[in-house]
């Protein structure tokens, strides 16, 4: 594996970008090229350390996840109903991801395809933010099965590395009537099942690439990713209470231009 500091850098990149609408996968691909850390083992490492970011969301929203197991009568988004909503959101991208997994890893994990995805996503962010949609979903407990499945359809866009799962689900939620902060929080929670399934599936397919000595490298990336994601999620929710998604769209366009110029 690469030196230990590469695991730290990639862990920071993963944690800070996973739940922001700027694409963690895109940033990891770019960082991997800049650090000369590429190939099948690098691709799997970058996917596996997402588990650290997932754990950060579970810790931050632990009461919501506990409520899924032990229903809270005062919250509609809990118990079997809450699990049903998450299933509906996860279903479209899970099915499409299984069908296109090989194609995605073979053809879409490159700086050029990432740059295009960043730019396309930025344009869609500007379009969504330009519309004044009626806000019909003001809390997590007001999310309906129809909204949950609709967000799941938008999540399929995230299979294109560089587009961003967070961007696709937040925009989908807003288009379907969710308040921006509610769309973001549901995006965080809905990420857990599909990301856990995706990372587990990829690691089971490629665990033979790793040796015992690589475990410390994976552990470093995992821990750093957890810490960075914990900080990023808390800060992002605060920002969304004051800003729109437009600054992230501008960042995406600038980053896409830099990628095309230098990579």
């Amino acid at each position: 594996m690469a030196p230990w500091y590469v695991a730290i850098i990639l862990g920071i990149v993963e944690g800070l970008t996973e739940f922001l609408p700027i694409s963690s996968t895109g940033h990891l691909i770019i960082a991997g090229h800049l650090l000369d850390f590429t190939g099948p083992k690098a691709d799997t490492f970058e996917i596996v350390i997402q588990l650290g970011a997932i754990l950060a969301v579970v810790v931050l929203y632990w009461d919501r996840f506990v409520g899924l197991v032990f229903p809270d009568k005062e919250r509609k988004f809990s118990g079997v109903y809450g699990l049903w909503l998450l299933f509906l959101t996860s279903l479209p991208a899970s099915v499409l991801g299984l069908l296109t997994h090989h194609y995605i890893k073979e053809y879409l994990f490159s700086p050029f395809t990432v740059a295009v995805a960043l730019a396309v996503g930025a344009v869609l962010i500007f379009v969504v933010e330009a519309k004044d949609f009626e806000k019909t979903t003001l809390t997590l407990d007001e999310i309906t099965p129809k909204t949950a499945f609709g967000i799941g359809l938008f999540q399929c866009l995230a299979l294109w590395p560089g587009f961003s799962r967070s961007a696709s689900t937040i925009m989908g939620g807003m288009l379907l009537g969710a308040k921006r902060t509610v769309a973001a929080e549901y995006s965080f929670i809905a990420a857990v099942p599909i990301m856990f399934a995706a990372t587990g599936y990829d690691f089971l397919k490629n665990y033979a690439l790793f040796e015992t000595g690589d475990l410390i490298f994976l552990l470093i990336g995992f821990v750093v990713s957890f810490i960075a994601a914990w900080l990023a999620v808390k800060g992002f929710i605060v920002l969304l209470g004051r800003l729109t998604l437009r600054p992230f769209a501008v960042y995406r366009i600038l980053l896409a231009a830099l990628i095309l110029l230098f990579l």
Side-chain angles (χ1 to χ4, degrees), residues 83-139:
L83 292 171
W84 173 240
L85 294 179
L86 293 177
F87 172 79
L88 290 174
T89 300
S90 302
L91 183 61
S94 297
V95 173
L96 188 59
L98 284 173
L99 296 175
T100 61
H101 180 263
H102 174 74
Y103 176 84
I104 290 170
K105 292 197 73 173
E106 183 72 21
Y107 299 106
L108 295 183
F109 274 68
S110 72
F112 176 75
T113 56
V114 167
V116 175
L118 285 167
V120 171
V123 171
L124 290 179
I125 287 175
F126 282 124
V127 171
V128 171
E129 286 290 3
K131 301 289 184 178
D132 186 19
F133 298 99
E134 181 183 359
K135 302 298 185 293
T136 57
T137 306
L138 304 180
T139 68

Side-chain angles (χ1 to χ4, degrees), residues 22-73:
I22 54 177
S23 176
S24 63
T25 303
H27 281 75
L28 286 171
I29 292 172
I30 296 163
H33 277 75
L34 292 175
L35 295 168
D36 196 26
F37 182 57
T38 58
K41 184 182 285 190
D43 291 342
T44 300
F45 168 79
E46 291 167 1
I47 291 173
V48 169
I49 62 173
Q50 290 179 340
L51 288 171
I54 295 171
L55 183 60
V57 168
V58 173
V59 171
L60 284 168
Y61 291 92
W62 66 271
D63 58 328
R64 285 292 183 177
F65 287 100
V66 169
L68 294 172
V69 180
F70 303 101
D72 185 342
K73 294 181 180 180

